[in-house]
Amino acid sequence: MQALIPLKPYLQAKLPFMTADKCHLFIVNGTQAKGYMEYTARLLFLDYRGDPIEVIMQIREWLKSKNLHLDVTGNDVQISFSSEIVDANTFDLEIDFPQRDKIVMDQNGYHVCPELVWSDIFDKFVPAGTE
Protein backbone atom coordinates (compact mmCIF):
# COMPACT_ATOMS: atom_id res chain seq x y z
CA MET A 1 0.00 0.00 0.00
CA GLN A 2 2.81 2.38 0.85
CA ALA A 3 4.26 1.83 -2.62
CA LEU A 4 1.30 3.80 -4.02
CA ILE A 5 2.08 7.01 -2.11
CA PRO A 6 4.33 8.44 -4.90
CA LEU A 7 1.53 7.98 -7.46
CA LYS A 8 -0.26 11.19 -6.51
CA PRO A 9 2.79 13.50 -6.94
CA TYR A 10 3.61 11.71 -10.21
CA LEU A 11 0.12 12.41 -11.54
CA GLN A 12 0.28 16.00 -10.38
CA ALA A 13 3.49 16.47 -12.39
CA LYS A 14 2.05 14.76 -15.50
CA LEU A 15 -1.50 16.13 -15.53
CA PRO A 16 -1.71 19.92 -15.80
CA PHE A 17 -5.37 20.09 -14.72
CA MET A 18 -4.88 18.07 -11.53
CA THR A 19 -4.37 19.77 -8.19
CA ALA A 20 -3.29 17.90 -5.07
CA ASP A 21 -6.29 19.07 -3.06
CA LYS A 22 -8.68 17.62 -5.68
CA CYS A 23 -7.05 14.16 -5.91
CA HIS A 24 -7.49 11.57 -3.17
CA LEU A 25 -5.98 8.08 -2.86
CA PHE A 26 -7.97 5.45 -0.96
CA ILE A 27 -7.50 1.78 -0.21
CA VAL A 28 -10.83 -0.04 -0.35
CA ASN A 29 -12.14 -3.62 -0.24
CA GLY A 30 -9.01 -5.20 1.22
CA THR A 31 -8.49 -8.77 2.38
CA GLN A 32 -5.57 -10.54 4.05
CA ALA A 33 -5.04 -14.27 3.71
CA LYS A 34 -2.23 -16.77 3.14
CA GLY A 35 0.48 -14.14 3.51
CA TYR A 36 -0.98 -11.70 0.98
CA MET A 37 -2.83 -8.44 1.35
CA GLU A 38 -5.11 -7.90 -1.62
CA TYR A 39 -6.95 -4.62 -2.01
CA THR A 40 -8.40 -2.14 -4.43
CA ALA A 41 -6.66 1.20 -4.78
CA ARG A 42 -9.01 4.05 -5.64
CA LEU A 43 -8.10 7.47 -6.98
CA LEU A 44 -10.81 10.12 -6.77
CA PHE A 45 -10.39 13.26 -8.89
CA LEU A 46 -12.83 16.02 -7.97
CA ASP A 47 -13.79 18.78 -10.40
CA TYR A 48 -11.39 17.45 -13.03
CA ARG A 49 -11.20 19.27 -16.36
CA GLY A 50 -8.63 17.18 -18.23
CA ASP A 51 -8.80 14.11 -20.44
CA PRO A 52 -9.91 11.02 -18.45
CA ILE A 53 -8.16 8.66 -20.88
CA GLU A 54 -4.89 10.52 -20.24
CA VAL A 55 -5.38 9.94 -16.49
CA ILE A 56 -5.85 6.20 -16.99
CA MET A 57 -2.86 6.05 -19.34
CA GLN A 58 -0.63 7.84 -16.79
CA ILE A 59 -1.75 5.51 -13.99
CA ARG A 60 -0.98 2.47 -16.15
CA GLU A 61 2.46 3.89 -17.07
CA TRP A 62 3.31 4.57 -13.43
CA LEU A 63 2.18 1.09 -12.34
CA LYS A 64 4.31 -0.44 -15.09
CA SER A 65 7.36 1.62 -14.10
CA LYS A 66 7.01 0.34 -10.52
CA ASN A 67 6.30 -3.28 -11.52
CA LEU A 68 2.84 -3.05 -9.99
CA HIS A 69 0.95 -3.57 -13.26
CA LEU A 70 0.47 -7.35 -13.19
CA ASP A 71 -2.12 -9.36 -11.32
CA VAL A 72 -1.58 -12.76 -9.71
CA THR A 73 -2.03 -14.50 -13.08
CA GLY A 74 0.61 -12.34 -14.78
CA ASN A 75 -1.89 -10.28 -16.78
CA ASP A 76 -2.22 -6.49 -16.73
CA VAL A 77 -4.36 -5.31 -13.82
CA GLN A 78 -7.81 -4.21 -14.81
CA ILE A 79 -8.33 -0.50 -14.34
CA SER A 80 -11.98 0.43 -13.90
CA PHE A 81 -13.51 3.86 -13.66
CA SER A 82 -16.73 5.75 -13.13
CA SER A 83 -17.54 9.38 -13.56
CA GLU A 84 -20.08 11.95 -12.47
CA ILE A 85 -20.55 14.87 -14.83
CA VAL A 86 -20.56 18.21 -13.03
CA ASP A 87 -20.98 20.45 -16.10
CA ALA A 88 -19.96 20.50 -19.78
CA ASN A 89 -16.22 20.71 -18.95
CA THR A 90 -15.96 19.28 -15.44
CA PHE A 91 -16.47 15.86 -13.90
CA ASP A 92 -15.59 13.80 -10.87
CA LEU A 93 -13.57 10.73 -11.85
CA GLU A 94 -13.12 7.60 -9.75
CA ILE A 95 -10.48 5.07 -10.87
CA ASP A 96 -9.99 1.65 -9.25
CA PHE A 97 -7.28 -0.96 -9.74
CA PRO A 98 -6.34 -4.07 -7.76
CA GLN A 99 -3.06 -4.53 -5.93
CA ARG A 100 -1.45 -7.40 -4.02
CA ASP A 101 1.34 -7.26 -1.44
CA LYS A 102 3.21 -10.18 0.12
CA ILE A 103 3.29 -9.51 3.87
CA VAL A 104 5.38 -11.38 6.44
CA MET A 105 3.99 -10.94 9.96
CA ASP A 106 5.22 -12.12 13.34
CA GLN A 107 5.04 -10.98 16.96
CA ASN A 108 7.70 -8.31 16.29
CA GLY A 109 5.82 -6.66 13.42
CA TYR A 110 5.65 -7.08 9.67
CA HIS A 111 7.42 -6.26 6.44
CA VAL A 112 6.40 -6.17 2.80
CA CYS A 113 8.30 -8.57 0.57
CA PRO A 114 9.12 -7.39 -2.93
CA GLU A 115 8.15 -9.61 -5.83
CA LEU A 116 11.14 -11.67 -6.96
CA VAL A 117 11.96 -12.21 -10.64
CA TRP A 118 14.76 -14.12 -12.32
CA SER A 119 17.70 -12.05 -13.59
CA ASP A 120 19.93 -13.54 -16.29
CA ILE A 121 22.45 -10.79 -15.56
CA PHE A 122 22.81 -11.73 -11.88
CA ASP A 123 21.94 -15.42 -12.39
CA LYS A 124 19.55 -15.39 -9.43
CA PHE A 125 16.19 -14.08 -8.25
CA VAL A 126 16.16 -10.34 -7.50
CA PRO A 127 13.44 -7.85 -6.45
CA ALA A 128 11.29 -6.80 -9.41
CA GLY A 129 12.53 -3.58 -10.94
CA THR A 130 16.21 -4.22 -10.11
CA GLU A 131 16.85 -6.76 -12.86
Side-chain angles (χ1 to χ4, degrees):
M1 291 187 271
Q2 293 180 349
L4 297 176
I5 293 171
L7 176 56
K8 189 173 162 181
Y10 170 85
L11 291 173
Q12 188 174 4
K14 295 287 186 175
L15 302 170
F17 294 106
M18 190 199 103
T19 59
D21 64 325
K22 298 284 187 167
C23 177
H24 306 280
L25 176 62
F26 301 98
I27 303 300
V28 297
N29 302 329
T31 61
Q32 191 281 323
K34 299 182 181 178
Y36 287 92
M37 183 142 331
E38 297 186 27
Y39 54 92
T40 299
R42 175 172 293 159
L43 282 161
L44 175 62
F45 297 84
L46 299 172
D47 300 327
Y48 192 70
R49 294 180 173 267
D51 179 0
I53 297 170
E54 175 73 15
V55 175
I56 293 168
M57 184 188 82
Q58 291 297 336
I59 291 170
R60 183 168 300 285
E61 286 300 313
W62 186 86
L63 290 171
K64 193 171 186 178
S65 74
K66 304 299 182 191
N67 292 306
L68 299 171
H69 66 293
L70 300 177
D71 64 15
V72 69
T73 65
N75 294 316
D76 280 339
V77 296
Q78 180 179 350
I79 297 177
S80 59
F81 64 93
S82 62
S83 179
E84 181 179 340
I85 297 171
V86 175
D87 61 35
N89 299 314
T90 310
F91 54 90
D92 294 341
L93 180 63
E94 188 176 277
I95 299 174
D96 292 347
F97 54 92
Q99 289 292 280
R100 184 175 197 240
D101 295 333
K102 172 77 171 151
I103 309 287
V104 175
M105 294 184 241
D106 62 22
Q107 63 274 12
N108 298 322
Y110 74 93
H111 69 275
V112 179
C113 299
E115 177 189 358
L116 297 177
V117 294
W118 181 259
S119 170
D120 289 332
I121 295 170
F122 299 110
D123 200 32
K124 65 178 182 177
F125 284 98
V126 297
T130 62
E131 70 280 2

